[in-house]
Amino acid sequence: MEHVILVRYGEIALKGLNRNYFIELLAKNIRNTLRSVPSAKVKKIQGRLIVNVSDEDLDRAMERVQKVFGIVSISPAIVIDSEIKTIEENAIEQVRSTEGIKTFKITAKRGDKTFPIKSPDLCCRLGEVVLDNIEGITVDLHNPDLNLWVEVREQTYMYHQFIPCNGGLPVGCSGKAALLLSGGIDSPVAGYLMAKRGVEVIGVYFHSFPFTSDRTKEKVIDLAKIMSQYCGKIKLFVVPFTEIQTKIVELCPERQTTIIMRRYMMRIAEMIAHNEGAKALITGESLGQVASQTME
């Protein structure tokens, strides 16, 4: 018996002839996020991705995989041989080892049509075996304390947890964009939401020391590190902006300094985006939040 993580993807399953491209990209992103988990191996099965991982690395791997965009849910599962006696023995053990349950349900799916027992019959047989071997437990098909899933393929996967994830599309399938990062919350949220739609994000931060402190720069770097847990590797450009800002304040009308500074930031960010092959700029602007974010 070994432990694996069952990975379910959502809307990419609806893609047409290029579905395999999205699945391969998702598998690649999972491998990248598990680089520091040496026991992890990712493989494809029909309608799923499987992460093989050692018992001691299971929790760490699950925590990381949960954050990968494109995944709807994951389940820690055991893998056993697709022999009916083995399946029965493990079903009994899985129900028995789950504390505090009084009702249960078996949900069996026969993906391997060479397996001799059909899905509804397998549900009934496993339910009967559990009832015969565990006292004080009953079947509840509508609201059970434990719903034990049994997927019979070349091997059989058994699990009872569904851990929801972020969904969306695999990062990298929708091109690249440059994110204007500041020390606030709005810009990383904007980058997060765009990455969830498959956009590869690069960061651009304008540093105006001493108008903004080095502590602000460190905060932006920390934000980029947090984002990278979800968005994958992020290249961050720190642009020295003090000289430009000083010249604008010296030479431009006071009422126009904010919008002129923003215009220069956009122009510089556009140059960086062009050099990096990015096709859009992302900002965290929230209409009406501050004076520089009004419609005018």
Side-chain angles (χ1 to χ4, degrees), residues 141-179:
L141 298 179
H142 302 291
N143 190 29
D145 297 329
L146 174 71
N147 185 358
L148 182 64
W149 285 73
V150 181
E151 290 190 18
V152 181
R153 300 171 182 263
E154 291 182 3
Q155 292 180 293
T156 292
Y157 300 88
M158 198 172 288
Y159 56 92
H160 58 85
Q161 284 182 282
F162 280 76
I163 300 170
C165 300
N166 294 310
L169 295 171
V171 170
C173 70
S174 299
K176 186 187 292 187
L179 170 68

Side-chain angles (χ1 to χ4, degrees), residues 204-240:
V204 181
Y205 167 63
F206 294 92
H207 188 54
S208 299
F209 185 83
F211 304 112
T212 53
S213 67
D214 284 334
R215 185 176 178 183
T216 302
K217 181 173 75 173
E218 293 302 318
K219 184 179 179 182
V220 170
I221 294 171
D222 289 341
L223 284 171
K225 289 178 180 177
I226 294 170
M227 286 182 63
S228 69
Q229 297 176 25
Y230 301 86
C231 309
K233 186 177 179 180
I234 294 177
K235 183 185 288 188
L236 177 63
F237 292 85
V238 177
V239 180

Side-chain angles (χ1 to χ4, degrees), residues 12 21-30 32-33 67-71 166-177 191-202 227-234 282:
I12 67 176
Y21 162 74
F22 288 89
I23 295 172
E24 289 289 353
L25 182 57
L26 178 59
K28 176 185 173 183
N29 291 346
I30 294 172
N32 286 339
T33 201
K67 297 175 180 177
V68 177
F69 289 131
I71 299 173
N166 294 310
L169 295 171
V171 170
C173 70
S174 299
K176 186 187 292 187
Y192 172 96
L193 292 173
M194 292 298 288
K196 188 174 180 179
R197 298 310 303 158
V199 176
E200 181 184 346
V201 174
I202 62 173
M227 286 182 63
S228 69
Q229 297 176 25
Y230 301 86
C231 309
K233 186 177 179 180
I234 294 177
I282 306 168

